[in-house]
Structures are given as C-alpha cells and as structure tokens.
C-alpha cells in the first residue's frame, strides 16, 4: 500500500546526515584513518544508495499495482477511510521491517569490510617487522 | 517473480562492477546499489506476506514477469540519467563547448 514511504523517510534523514558529515570532513580536512577503508560520508553514501534505489523501484511497483497515483491524495488507500488503518499497519510492520533490514545488511557489510581491512593492515605490519 | 529478476540483476551488475568498473567511473556501483536495495526490501515484503497470509512465496505469472522486466528498465533509466549528468567521458561537455 505505502510501505516504501518508511525507507524514503529514512533515506531523507540519512542523506541530510551524510551532507552534514561530508561538509565537516571537508572543513576540518579529515582524511581516512590508516586502518579505515571508508570515511563516514562514504559509508553513508552506500546506505543512501540502497535506500533511495530500493524506494524508487518499490514506488514504481506500487504505481504498477495502482496503489500510488500521480494525482492527490497520491495513495489510493487514502480515498477510503476504512483502508487508512491497514495502510498505517503495513507501514509500521513491512515498511519499518524493510528499513531496519536494509540498515542491518549495510551495517554488517561495513563491519566485515572494516574488520578485514584491519586484519590486512596487521598482516602488513607483521611482514614489515619481519622484513626489517 | 520481480524479486527473482531484481536479485539476478543485482548479482550480474555487482559482478560487472567488480570486474570492469571497480573505480566506479561508469557508476555501476550505483546501479548495483539500486538493485540490491530493491531486492532486500522485496525480500522482507515477501517473507512478511508469506508469514501472514501463507500461499506461494514467489508469484510466478506473466504479469509478475513483466513487472520484473519493467523494474529493471526503470533502474537502468535512473542509472543512465545519473551517468549522463556526471558525464565521465566528457562527451556532453565537448559538445557544449564546441
């Protein structure tokens, strides 16, 4: 019905956060720490890509199924007062589930990338010690 | 069916990005993110619908297949517009400055 609105909301928030973080990183000349692969603005850009990309395609699917229309009130469920309740329930369950799942997958990927980079840099330090 | 097609598109795009465009010059990383984002969201949608209503997990019929193909076309259009705006080869910049 309108489950994609929840990831869209999260995408708006994370995009604003990413822009603010990016500005701060530029202002203070923050560079990526030696043991880090990505700085925070780059990490948030990946999350934004997942959220915006997914939301756009989901919005298209809703248009396909006639649940979203290009004229007010845009959501067909809003026309019928009896359908508003189920729509809000769907947003609270499936919509929130989607947003949480995408964020969890992103967090796991970022953790794995950073952990593997840290272990690689430790291996390099070991090699350097042995070599010197 | 659109979940299967979108996941397939995500896997193929990620592979092409890894092999041909690791520096993300042609924004294949963005296309992969678009597909993965949608695939993850539809996966949650399918699981929750399956748990709540039961029935078949995948909807396999002509309409669902057509939707899957249309979704891929929409993603490709979004990617192409972004690519042309960034213009990594400078094709449009050259045309404008001529």
């Amino acid at each position: 019905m309108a489950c994609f609105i929840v990831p869209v909301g999260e995408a708006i928030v994370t995009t604003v956060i990413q822009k603010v973080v990016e500005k701060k990183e530029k202002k203070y000349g923050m560079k990526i720490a030696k043991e880090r692969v990505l700085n925070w603005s780059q990490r948030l850009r990946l999350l934004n890509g997942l959220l915006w990309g997914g939301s756009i395609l989901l919005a298209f699917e809703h248009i396909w199924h006639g649940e979203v229309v290009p004229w007010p009130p845009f959501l067909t469920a809003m026309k019928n007062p009896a359908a508003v309740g189920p729509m809000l329930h769907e947003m609270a369950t499936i919509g929130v589930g989607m947003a949480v799942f995408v964020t969890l997958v992103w967090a796991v990927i970022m953790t794995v990338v950073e952990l593997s980079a840290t272990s690689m840099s430790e291996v390099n330090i070991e090699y350097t010690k042995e070599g010197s | 069916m659109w979940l299967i097609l979108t996941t397939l598109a995500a896997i193929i795009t990620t592979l092409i990005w890894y092999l041909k465009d690791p520096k993300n010059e042609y924004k294949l990383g963005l296309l992969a993110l678009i597909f993965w984002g949608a695939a993850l969201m539809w996966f949650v949608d399918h699981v929750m619908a399956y748990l709540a209503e039961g029935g078949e997990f995948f909807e396999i019929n002509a309409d669902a297949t057509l939707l899957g193909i249309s979704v891929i076309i929409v993603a490709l259009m979004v990617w192409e517009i972004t690519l042309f705006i960034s213009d990594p080869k400078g094709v449009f910049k050259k045309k404008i400055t001529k």
Side-chain angles (χ1 to χ4, degrees):
Chain A
M1 283 182 188
C3 51
F4 71 98
I5 289 174
V6 180
V8 167
E10 188 191 344
I12 291 167
V13 173
T14 53
T15 304
V16 171
I17 294 171
Q18 188 233 322
K19 295 287 173 200
V20 171
V21 170
E22 203 171 43
K23 265 189 182 177
K24 279 193 176 176
E25 282 172 349
K26 275 184 187 170
K27 192 178 174 184
Y28 298 110
M30 285 181 194
K31 287 177 183 171
I32 306 164
K34 274 183 186 175
E35 70 278 9
R36 294 269 176 261
V37 180
L38 301 167
N39 58 23
W40 268 104
S41 63
Q42 289 169 322
R43 291 181 211 180
L44 286 167
R45 196 175 294 142
L46 291 176
L47 178 61
N48 290 337
L50 286 171
L51 289 169
W52 280 118
S55 301
I56 289 167
L57 296 193
L58 256 79
F60 176 76
E61 186 237 327
H62 282 71
I63 294 168
W64 182 278
H65 286 133
E67 293 167 346
V68 174
V69 286
W71 50 85
F74 304 110
L75 302 167
T76 45
M78 295 288 279
K79 281 183 185 173
N80 181 9
V84 174
M87 183 190 78
L88 293 173
H89 180 260
E90 195 189 274
M91 282 170 71
T93 52
I94 300 175
V96 171
M98 283 172 175
V100 169
F101 187 64
V102 169
T103 311
L104 263 177
V105 169
W106 166 79
V108 169
I109 292 169
M110 289 300 108
T111 309
V112 169
V113 167
E114 293 300 341
L115 283 177
S116 61
T118 310
S119 63
M120 284 296 284
S121 66
E122 279 170 7
V123 168
N124 285 338
I125 290 165
E126 293 275 325
Y127 278 130
T128 319
K129 278 181 183 172
E130 280 177 17
S132 58
Chain B
M1 193 66 189
W2 59 92
L3 172 62
I4 297 171
L5 288 172
T6 311
T7 310
L8 190 70
I11 292 166
I12 292 168
T13 312
T14 308
L15 202 65
I16 297 170
W17 165 78
Y18 181 78
L19 295 172
K20 299 282 180 191
D21 190 28
K23 287 182 181 174
N24 209 23
E25 193 184 359
Y26 297 108
K27 306 231 173 256
L28 279 170
L30 174 75
L31 183 61
L33 284 176
I34 292 171
F35 283 134
W36 278 120
L40 292 172
M41 287 181 193
W42 275 320
F43 176 72
V44 173
D45 184 39
H46 278 59
V47 167
M48 286 190 154
Y50 183 75
L51 292 174
E53 298 157 18
E56 288 180 5
F57 187 78
F58 295 114
E59 197 181 318
I60 298 172
N61 54 48
D63 185 62
T65 309
L66 200 61
L67 172 59
I69 294 166
S70 305
V71 157
I72 292 170
I73 291 168
V74 170
L76 288 172
M77 279 167 66
V78 171
W79 166 68
E80 203 166 84
I81 291 166
T82 316
L83 183 71
F84 286 166
I85 290 169
S86 70
D87 195 17
K89 290 247 174 193
V91 177
F92 297 116
K93 278 175 196 162
K94 279 178 197 169
K95 295 245 180 203
I96 292 164
T97 50
K98 261 188 182 177

